[in-house]
Coordinates of all heavy atoms in Angstrom, one line a residue:
M120 N 73.2 4.0 38.5 CA 72.4 3.5 37.2 C 73.3 4.1 36.1 O 73.6 5.2 36.1 CB 70.9 4.1 37.2 CG 70.3 3.6 36.0 SD 68.5 4.1 36.2 CE 67.7 3.0 35.2
R121 N 73.6 3.2 35.1 CA 74.3 3.6 34.1 C 73.5 4.1 33.0 O 72.5 3.5 32.6 CB 75.2 2.4 33.6 CG 76.1 2.6 32.6 CD 76.8 1.4 32.3 NE 77.4 1.5 30.9 CZ 77.7 0.5 30.1 NH1 77.6 -0.7 30.5 NH2 78.2 0.8 28.9
A122 N 73.9 5.3 32.5 CA 73.0 6.1 31.4 C 73.4 5.3 30.1 O 74.6 5.0 29.9 CB 73.3 7.4 31.4
K123 N 72.4 5.1 29.2 CA 72.7 4.7 27.9 C 73.1 5.8 27.0 O 72.6 7.0 27.0 CB 71.5 4.1 27.3 CG 71.1 2.8 27.9 CD 69.9 2.2 27.2 CE 69.5 0.9 27.9 NZ 68.3 0.3 27.2
S124 N 74.1 5.6 26.2 CA 74.6 6.7 25.3 C 74.2 6.3 24.0 O 74.2 5.2 23.5 CB 76.1 6.9 25.4 OG 76.7 5.7 24.8
L125 N 73.7 7.4 23.2 CA 73.2 7.1 21.8 C 74.2 7.9 20.9 O 74.6 9.1 21.2 CB 71.8 7.7 21.7 CG 70.7 7.0 22.5 CD1 69.4 7.7 22.3 CD2 70.6 5.6 22.1
I126 N 74.5 7.3 19.8 CA 75.4 8.0 18.8 C 74.5 8.4 17.7 O 73.8 7.6 17.1 CB 76.6 7.0 18.3 CG1 77.4 6.6 19.4 CG2 77.2 7.7 17.2 CD1 78.4 5.6 19.1
I127 N 74.4 9.6 17.5 CA 73.5 10.3 16.5 C 74.4 10.8 15.4 O 75.3 11.6 15.8 CB 72.6 11.2 17.1 CG1 71.7 10.5 18.1 CG2 71.7 11.8 16.0 CD1 70.8 11.4 18.8
S128 N 74.3 10.6 14.1 CA 75.1 11.1 13.0 C 74.6 12.5 12.8 O 73.4 12.9 13.2 CB 75.0 10.3 11.8 OG 73.6 10.4 11.3
A129 N 75.3 13.3 12.1 CA 74.9 14.6 11.7 C 73.6 14.7 10.9 O 72.9 15.6 11.0 CB 76.1 15.2 10.9
C130 N 73.3 13.6 10.2 CA 72.0 13.6 9.4 C 70.8 13.5 10.3 O 69.7 13.8 10.1 CB 72.0 12.6 8.4 SG 73.4 12.7 7.2
D131 N 71.0 12.7 11.5 CA 69.9 12.5 12.4 C 69.8 13.5 13.5 O 69.4 13.1 14.7 CB 70.1 11.1 13.0 CG 69.9 10.0 11.9 OD1 69.3 10.3 11.0 OD2 70.6 8.9 12.1
V132 N 70.4 14.7 13.4 CA 70.4 15.7 14.4 C 68.9 16.1 14.9 O 68.6 16.4 16.0 CB 71.1 16.9 14.1 CG1 71.0 18.0 15.1 CG2 72.6 16.6 13.9
R133 N 68.0 15.9 13.8 CA 66.6 16.2 14.1 C 66.1 15.2 15.3 O 66.8 14.4 15.8 CB 65.8 16.0 13.0 CG 66.1 17.0 11.9 CD 65.4 16.6 10.5 NE 66.4 15.9 9.8 CZ 66.1 15.2 8.7 NH1 64.8 15.0 8.3 NH2 67.1 14.7 8.0
K134 N 64.8 15.4 15.6 CA 64.4 14.6 16.8 C 64.4 13.0 16.4 O 64.2 12.8 15.2 CB 62.9 14.9 17.0 CG 62.8 16.3 17.7 CD 61.3 16.6 17.9 CE 61.0 18.0 18.5 NZ 59.7 18.2 18.7
A135 N 64.7 12.3 17.3 CA 64.7 10.8 17.1 C 64.1 10.1 18.2 O 64.1 10.7 19.4 CB 66.1 10.4 17.0
T136 N 63.5 9.0 18.0 CA 62.9 8.3 19.1 C 63.6 6.9 19.3 O 64.3 6.4 18.5 CB 61.4 7.9 18.8 OG1 61.5 7.2 17.5 CG2 60.7 9.2 18.5
V137 N 63.5 6.4 20.5 CA 64.2 5.2 20.9 C 63.1 4.3 21.2 O 62.2 4.4 22.1 CB 65.1 5.4 22.2 CG1 65.7 4.1 22.6 CG2 66.2 6.4 22.0
T138 N 63.2 3.1 20.5 CA 62.1 2.0 20.6 C 62.8 0.8 20.8 O 63.7 0.3 19.9 CB 61.2 2.1 19.4 OG1 60.5 3.2 19.3 CG2 60.2 0.9 19.6
E139 N 62.8 0.1 21.9 CA 63.3 -1.2 22.2 C 64.9 -1.1 21.9 O 65.5 -2.0 21.3 CB 62.7 -2.3 21.1 CG 61.4 -2.6 21.5 CD 60.8 -3.6 20.5 OE1 61.5 -4.2 19.7 OE2 59.5 -3.9 20.5
G140 N 65.5 0.0 22.3 CA 67.0 0.1 22.4 C 67.4 0.5 21.0 O 68.7 0.6 20.8
K141 N 66.6 0.7 20.0 CA 67.0 1.1 18.7 C 66.6 2.5 18.5 O 65.6 3.1 18.8 CB 66.4 0.3 17.6 CG 66.8 -1.2 17.7 CD 66.2 -2.0 16.5 CE 66.6 -3.4 16.5 NZ 65.9 -4.1 15.4
L142 N 67.7 3.3 17.8 CA 67.4 4.6 17.5 C 66.6 4.8 16.1 O 67.1 4.3 15.1 CB 68.7 5.5 17.3 CG 68.6 6.9 17.0 CD1 67.9 7.7 18.2 CD2 70.0 7.4 16.8
L143 N 65.4 5.3 16.2 CA 64.7 5.4 14.9 C 64.4 6.8 14.5 O 64.1 7.7 15.4 CB 63.2 4.8 15.2 CG 63.3 3.4 15.6 CD1 61.8 2.9 15.9 CD2 63.9 2.5 14.5
P144 N 64.6 7.2 13.3 CA 64.5 8.6 12.8 C 62.9 8.8 12.8 O 62.1 8.0 12.9 CB 65.0 8.6 11.4 CG 65.0 7.1 10.9 CD 65.1 6.3 12.1
T145 N 62.6 10.1 12.9 CA 61.2 10.6 12.9 C 60.6 10.4 11.6 O 59.3 10.4 11.5 CB 61.1 12.0 13.5 OG1 61.9 12.7 12.6 CG2 61.5 12.1 14.9
F146 N 61.4 10.4 10.5 CA 60.8 10.3 9.3 C 60.9 8.7 8.8 O 61.9 8.1 8.8 CB 61.5 11.1 8.2 CG 63.0 11.0 8.2 CD1 63.6 10.0 7.3 CD2 63.8 11.6 9.1 CE1 65.0 10.0 7.3 CE2 65.2 11.4 9.1 CZ 65.8 10.6 8.2
P147 N 59.8 8.1 8.5 CA 59.8 6.7 8.1 C 60.1 6.5 6.6 O 59.9 7.4 5.8 CB 58.3 6.3 8.2 CG 57.6 7.5 8.0 CD 58.4 8.6 8.5
F148 N 60.8 5.5 6.3 CA 61.1 5.1 4.9 C 59.8 4.7 4.1 O 59.0 4.1 4.8 CB 62.2 4.0 4.8 CG 63.5 4.5 5.3 CD1 63.9 4.0 6.5 CD2 64.4 5.2 4.6 CE1 65.2 4.3 6.8 CE2 65.6 5.5 4.9 CZ 66.0 5.2 6.2
P149 N 59.7 5.0 2.9 CA 58.5 4.3 2.2 C 58.6 2.9 2.3 O 59.7 2.2 2.3 CB 58.9 4.8 0.7 CG 59.9 5.9 0.8 CD 60.6 5.7 2.1
A150 N 57.4 2.2 2.3 CA 57.3 0.8 2.4 C 57.9 0.1 1.2 O 58.5 -1.0 1.5 CB 55.8 0.4 2.4
E151 N 58.0 0.7 0.1 CA 58.5 -0.1 -1.2 C 60.1 0.3 -1.2 O 60.7 -0.3 -2.2 CB 57.9 0.4 -2.3 CG 58.0 1.8 -2.7 CD 57.1 2.8 -2.0 OE1 56.2 2.2 -1.4 OE2 57.3 4.0 -2.2
A152 N 60.7 1.0 -0.3 CA 62.1 1.3 -0.5 C 63.0 0.1 -0.4 O 62.7 -0.7 0.7 CB 62.5 2.4 0.5
R153 N 64.0 -0.1 -1.1 CA 64.8 -1.2 -1.1 C 66.3 -0.8 -1.4 O 66.5 -0.1 -2.3 CB 64.4 -2.4 -2.0 CG 63.1 -3.0 -1.8 CD 63.2 -4.1 -0.6 NE 62.0 -4.6 -0.3 CZ 61.7 -5.0 0.8 NH1 62.4 -4.9 1.8 NH2 60.6 -5.7 1.0
L154 N 67.3 -1.5 -0.7 CA 68.6 -1.3 -1.1 C 69.2 -2.6 -1.2 O 69.2 -3.4 -0.3 CB 69.4 -0.6 0.0 CG 69.2 0.9 0.3 CD1 69.8 1.4 1.5 CD2 69.6 1.7 -1.0
F155 N 69.6 -3.1 -2.4 CA 70.1 -4.4 -2.7 C 69.1 -5.5 -2.4 O 69.4 -6.6 -1.9 CB 71.4 -4.6 -1.9 CG 72.5 -3.6 -2.2 CD1 72.9 -2.8 -1.3 CD2 73.2 -3.6 -3.4 CE1 73.8 -1.9 -1.5 CE2 74.1 -2.8 -3.7 CZ 74.5 -1.9 -2.8
G156 N 67.8 -5.2 -2.5 CA 66.8 -6.0 -2.3 C 66.5 -6.2 -0.9 O 65.7 -7.1 -0.5
L157 N 67.0 -5.5 0.0 CA 66.8 -5.6 1.5 C 66.1 -4.2 2.0 O 66.3 -3.2 1.2 CB 68.1 -5.8 2.2 CG 68.8 -7.0 1.9 CD1 70.3 -7.1 2.5 CD2 68.1 -8.2 2.5
P158 N 65.5 -4.4 3.2 CA 64.9 -3.0 3.7 C 66.2 -2.2 3.9 O 67.3 -2.5 4.2 CB 64.4 -3.5 5.0 CG 64.2 -5.0 4.9 CD 65.2 -5.4 3.9
P159 N 65.9 -0.8 3.9 CA 66.9 0.2 4.0 C 67.9 0.0 5.3 O 69.1 0.3 5.2 CB 66.2 1.4 4.1 CG 65.1 1.3 3.4 CD 64.6 -0.1 3.7
D160 N 67.3 -0.4 6.4 CA 68.1 -0.4 7.7 C 69.0 -1.6 7.6 O 69.9 -1.6 8.4 CB 67.1 -0.5 9.0 CG 66.2 -1.6 8.9 OD1 65.9 -2.3 7.8 OD2 65.7 -2.1 9.9
Q161 N 68.9 -2.7 6.8 CA 69.8 -3.8 6.6 C 70.6 -3.6 5.3 O 71.7 -3.8 5.4 CB 69.0 -5.0 6.5 CG 68.1 -5.4 7.7 CD 67.3 -6.6 7.4 OE1 67.1 -7.2 6.2 NE2 66.7 -7.1 8.5
G162 N 70.0 -3.0 4.3 CA 70.8 -2.9 3.1 C 71.9 -1.8 3.1 O 72.8 -2.0 2.3
R163 N 71.8 -0.9 3.9 CA 72.7 0.2 4.0 C 74.0 -0.4 4.5 O 75.2 0.2 4.2 CB 72.3 1.3 4.8 CG 72.1 1.0 6.3 CD 71.6 2.2 7.1 NE 71.4 1.6 8.4 CZ 70.7 2.4 9.4 NH1 70.3 3.5 9.0 NH2 70.5 2.0 10.5
W164 N 74.1 -1.4 5.3 CA 75.4 -2.0 5.8 C 76.2 -2.6 4.7 O 77.4 -2.8 4.8 CB 75.1 -3.1 6.9 CG 74.6 -2.3 8.0 CD1 73.2 -2.3 8.5 CD2 75.3 -1.4 8.9 NE1 73.2 -1.5 9.6 CE2 74.4 -0.9 10.0 CE3 76.7 -1.1 9.1 CZ2 74.8 -0.1 11.0 CZ3 77.1 -0.2 10.1 CH2 76.1 0.3 11.0
L165 N 75.6 -2.9 3.6 CA 76.4 -3.5 2.3 C 77.2 -2.5 1.7 O 78.2 -2.8 0.9 CB 75.4 -4.1 1.4 CG 74.7 -5.3 1.8 CD1 73.7 -5.9 0.8 CD2 75.6 -6.5 2.1
F166 N 76.8 -1.2 2.0 CA 77.8 -0.1 1.3 C 79.2 -0.2 2.0 O 80.1 0.3 1.3 CB 77.2 1.2 1.5 CG 76.1 1.4 0.5 CD1 74.8 1.6 1.0 CD2 76.3 1.6 -0.7 CE1 73.7 1.9 0.2 CE2 75.3 1.9 -1.6 CZ 73.9 2.0 -1.1
I167 N 79.3 -0.6 3.2 CA 80.6 -0.6 3.9 C 81.5 -1.5 3.2 O 82.8 -1.2 2.8 CB 80.5 -0.8 5.5 CG1 79.7 0.3 6.0 CG2 81.8 -1.0 6.1 CD1 79.4 0.1 7.4
P168 N 81.3 -2.9 3.1 CA 82.2 -3.7 2.3 C 82.4 -3.3 0.8 O 83.6 -3.4 0.3 CB 81.7 -5.2 2.5 CG 80.3 -5.0 3.0 CD 80.2 -3.6 3.6
L169 N 81.4 -2.9 0.3 CA 81.5 -2.4 -1.1 C 82.6 -1.2 -1.2 O 83.4 -1.1 -2.1 CB 80.2 -2.2 -1.7 CG 79.3 -3.2 -2.0 CD1 77.9 -2.8 -2.5 CD2 79.9 -4.2 -2.9
G170 N 82.3 -0.2 -0.3 CA 83.2 0.9 -0.3 C 84.7 0.5 0.0 O 85.6 1.1 -0.7
L171 N 84.9 -0.4 0.8 CA 86.2 -0.9 1.3 C 86.8 -1.6 0.0 O 88.1 -1.4 -0.3 CB 86.2 -1.8 2.4 CG 85.9 -1.2 3.7 CD1 85.8 -2.3 4.8 CD2 87.1 -0.3 4.1
M172 N 86.1 -2.4 -0.8 CA 86.7 -3.0 -2.0 C 87.0 -2.0 -3.1 O 88.0 -2.1 -3.6 CB 85.6 -4.0 -2.6 CG 85.5 -5.2 -1.6 SD 84.5 -6.7 -2.3 CE 83.3 -5.9 -3.2
V173 N 86.1 -1.0 -3.1 CA 86.5 0.0 -4.2 C 87.8 0.9 -3.8 O 88.7 1.0 -4.6 CB 85.3 1.0 -4.4 CG1 85.7 2.2 -5.2 CG2 84.1 0.3 -5.0
L174 N 87.9 1.1 -2.6 CA 89.0 1.9 -2.1 C 90.3 1.1 -2.2 O 91.4 1.5 -2.5 CB 88.9 2.3 -0.7 CG 87.8 3.5 -0.6 CD1 87.6 3.9 0.9 CD2 88.3 4.8 -1.3
L175 N 90.2 -0.2 -2.0 CA 91.3 -1.1 -2.0 C 91.8 -1.2 -3.5 O 93.0 -1.1 -3.8 CB 90.9 -2.5 -1.6 CG 92.0 -3.6 -1.6 CD1 93.2 -3.2 -0.6 CD2 91.5 -5.0 -1.2
C176 N 91.0 -1.4 -4.5 CA 91.4 -1.5 -5.8 C 91.9 -0.1 -6.3 O 92.9 -0.1 -6.9 CB 90.1 -1.7 -6.7 SG 89.4 -3.4 -6.4
L177 N 91.3 1.0 -5.9 CA 91.9 2.3 -6.2 C 93.4 2.5 -5.6 O 94.2 3.0 -6.3 CB 91.0 3.5 -5.8 CG 89.7 3.6 -6.6 CD1 88.8 4.7 -6.1 CD2 90.1 3.9 -8.1
G178 N 93.4 2.1 -4.4 CA 94.8 2.2 -3.8 C 95.8 1.3 -4.5 O 97.0 1.6 -4.5
T179 N 95.4 0.1 -4.9 CA 96.2 -0.7 -5.7 C 96.9 0.0 -6.9 O 98.1 -0.1 -7.2 CB 95.7 -2.0 -5.9 OG1 95.2 -2.6 -4.5 CG2 96.7 -3.0 -6.5
V180 N 95.9 0.4 -7.6 CA 96.2 1.1 -8.9 C 97.2 2.3 -8.6 O 98.3 2.6 -9.3 CB 95.0 1.6 -9.7 CG1 95.4 2.4 -10.9 CG2 94.2 0.3 -10.1
Y181 N 96.8 3.2 -7.6 CA 97.7 4.3 -7.2 C 99.1 3.9 -6.8 O 100.0 4.5 -7.2 CB 97.0 5.1 -6.2 CG 97.8 6.3 -5.7 CD1 98.1 7.4 -6.5 CD2 98.3 6.3 -4.6 CE1 98.7 8.5 -6.2 CE2 99.2 7.3 -4.1 CZ 99.3 8.4 -4.9 OH 100.1 9.5 -4.5
S182 N 99.1 2.9 -6.0 CA 100.6 2.5 -5.4 C 101.3 1.9 -6.6 O 102.6 2.1 -6.6 CB 100.3 1.6 -4.3 OG 99.8 0.3 -4.7
W183 N 100.7 1.2 -7.5 CA 101.5 0.7 -8.5 C 102.0 1.8 -9.5 O 103.2 1.8 -9.9 CB 100.7 -0.3 -9.5 CG 101.4 -0.9 -10.6 CD1 101.4 -0.6 -11.9 CD2 102.5 -1.8 -10.4 NE1 102.4 -1.3 -12.6 CE2 103.2 -2.0 -11.6 CE3 103.2 -2.4 -9.3 CZ2 104.3 -2.8 -11.9 CZ3 104.2 -3.2 -9.6 CH2 104.8 -3.5 -10.8
S184 N 101.3 2.9 -9.7 CA 101.6 4.0 -10.5 C 102.8 4.7 -9.8 O 103.6 5.2 -10.4 CB 100.4 4.9 -10.8 OG 100.2 5.6 -9.6
I185 N 102.9 4.7 -8.5 CA 103.9 5.4 -7.7 C 105.2 4.4 -7.8 O 106.3 5.0 -7.9 CB 103.5 5.6 -6.2 CG1 102.3 6.6 -6.3 CG2 104.7 6.2 -5.4 CD1 102.7 8.0 -6.8
F186 N 105.1 3.1 -7.5 CA 106.2 2.3 -7.4 C 106.8 1.8 -8.6 O 107.9 1.2 -8.7 CB 105.9 1.2 -6.4 CG 105.8 1.6 -5.0 CD1 104.6 1.6 -4.3 CD2 106.9 2.3 -4.4 CE1 104.5 2.1 -3.0 CE2 106.8 2.6 -3.0 CZ 105.6 2.6 -2.4
S187 N 106.0 1.7 -9.7 CA 106.5 1.2 -11.0 C 107.8 2.0 -11.5 O 108.7 1.4 -12.1 CB 105.5 1.2 -12.0 OG 105.0 2.5 -12.5
G188 N 107.8 3.3 -11.4 CA 108.9 4.1 -11.9 C 110.2 3.6 -11.2 O 111.2 3.3 -11.9
P189 N 110.3 3.6 -9.8 CA 111.6 3.1 -9.3 C 112.0 1.6 -9.6 O 113.0 1.3 -9.8 CB 111.3 3.2 -7.8 CG 110.3 4.2 -7.7 CD 109.4 4.0 -8.8
F190 N 110.8 0.7 -9.8 CA 111.1 -0.6 -10.3 C 111.8 -0.6 -11.6 O 112.8 -1.3 -11.8 CB 109.9 -1.4 -10.3 CG 109.3 -1.7 -8.9 CD1 108.0 -1.9 -8.8 CD2 110.1 -2.0 -7.9 CE1 107.5 -2.2 -7.6 CE2 109.6 -2.3 -6.6 CZ 108.2 -2.4 -6.4
E191 N 111.3 0.2 -12.6 CA 111.9 0.3 -13.9 C 113.2 0.8 -13.9 O 114.2 0.4 -14.6 CB 110.9 1.1 -14.8 CG 109.7 0.5 -15.2 CD 108.6 1.4 -15.7 OE1 109.0 2.7 -15.9 OE2 107.6 0.9 -16.1
A192 N 113.5 1.8 -13.1 CA 114.8 2.4 -12.9 C 115.9 1.4 -12.4 O 117.0 1.2 -12.9 CB 114.8 3.7 -12.1
E193 N 115.5 0.5 -11.4 CA 116.5 -0.3 -10.8 C 116.7 -1.5 -11.6 O 117.7 -2.0 -11.7 CB 115.8 -0.8 -9.4 CG 116.6 -1.7 -8.6 CD 117.9 -1.1 -8.2 OE1 117.9 0.2 -7.9 OE2 118.9 -1.7 -8.0
L194 N 115.7 -1.9 -12.4 CA 115.8 -3.1 -13.3 C 116.3 -2.8 -14.6 O 116.4 -3.5 -15.5 CB 114.5 -3.9 -13.4 CG 114.0 -4.5 -12.0 CD1 112.7 -5.1 -12.3 CD2 115.0 -5.4 -11.5
K195 N 116.5 -1.4 -15.0 CA 116.9 -0.9 -16.2 C 116.0 -1.5 -17.4 O 116.5 -1.8 -18.3 CB 118.4 -1.1 -16.5 CG 119.2 -0.6 -15.4 CD 120.7 -1.0 -15.6 CE 121.6 -0.3 -14.6 NZ 121.4 -0.6 -13.2
S196 N 114.7 -1.3 -17.2 CA 113.8 -1.9 -18.3 C 113.2 -0.5 -18.9 O 113.2 0.6 -18.4 CB 112.8 -2.7 -17.6 OG 111.9 -2.0 -16.8
R197 N 112.4 -0.8 -19.9 CA 111.7 0.3 -20.6 C 110.5 0.6 -19.9 O 109.9 -0.3 -19.2 CB 111.5 -0.2 -22.1 CG 112.6 -0.5 -23.0 CD 112.2 -0.8 -24.3 NE 111.1 -1.7 -24.3 CZ 110.8 -2.7 -25.0 NH1 111.5 -2.9 -26.1 NH2 109.8 -3.5 -24.9
P198 N 110.1 1.8 -20.0 CA 108.8 2.1 -19.3 C 107.6 1.3 -19.8 O 107.5 1.2 -21.1 CB 108.6 3.6 -19.7 CG 110.0 4.1 -20.0 CD 110.7 3.0 -20.6
G199 N 106.8 0.8 -19.0 CA 105.6 0.0 -19.4 C 105.8 -1.4 -19.5 O 104.9 -2.2 -19.7
T200 N 107.1 -2.0 -19.4 CA 107.3 -3.4 -19.4 C 107.3 -4.2 -18.2 O 107.2 -5.4 -18.1 CB 108.6 -3.6 -20.1 OG1 109.7 -3.1 -19.3 CG2 108.8 -3.0 -21.5
I201 N 107.2 -3.4 -17.0 CA 107.1 -4.0 -15.7 C 105.6 -4.3 -15.5 O 104.8 -3.4 -15.3 CB 107.7 -3.2 -14.6 CG1 109.2 -2.8 -14.9 CG2 107.5 -3.7 -13.2 CD1 110.1 -4.0 -14.7
L202 N 105.2 -5.5 -15.4 CA 103.9 -5.8 -15.0 C 103.8 -6.6 -13.8 O 103.8 -7.4 -13.3 CB 103.1 -6.5 -16.2 CG 103.0 -5.6 -17.4 CD1 102.3 -6.4 -18.5 CD2 102.2 -4.4 -17.1

């Protein structure tokens, strides 16, 4: 018989219950709690693509700040004219 493995995050180290194959924390969310207009167990997944978009934008700005200097030196242009 194969044992089911449960992945519990550091926040859920407290007691947890398993109901219908789902890991449920022992503390219930308030009934009126919403994330992006969705219940917390569904709305929290929207943070992943939002976080990826923010990191992609920040990485683009950082990489441009690193590579614009060599571009300007190679093209012999004034600083700030390479866009």
Side-chain angles (χ1 to χ4, degrees):
M120 180 177 206
R121 188 173 157 206
K123 291 184 179 180
S124 64
L125 297 175
I126 299 173
I127 300 175
S128 68
C130 298
D131 296 331
V132 173
R133 294 174 261 166
K134 292 182 183 178
T136 58
V137 177
T138 304
E139 296 177 6
K141 294 183 180 179
L142 182 65
L143 301 173
T145 56
F146 51 94
F148 289 108
E151 67 276 354
R153 295 276 186 219
L154 291 171
F155 303 109
L157 297 170
D160 58 340
Q161 295 173 351
R163 66 182 173 192
W164 291 104
L165 292 175
F166 283 111
I167 294 172
L169 290 175
L171 288 173
M172 290 188 326
V173 167
L174 290 175
L175 181 66
C176 292
L177 291 174
T179 302
V180 171
Y181 176 72
S182 64
W183 182 252
S184 71
I185 297 297
F186 290 114
S187 64
F190 289 150
E191 290 169 353
E193 185 66 31
L194 298 173
K195 297 178 179 63
S196 65
R197 294 182 317 213
T200 58
I201 301 292
L202 295 177

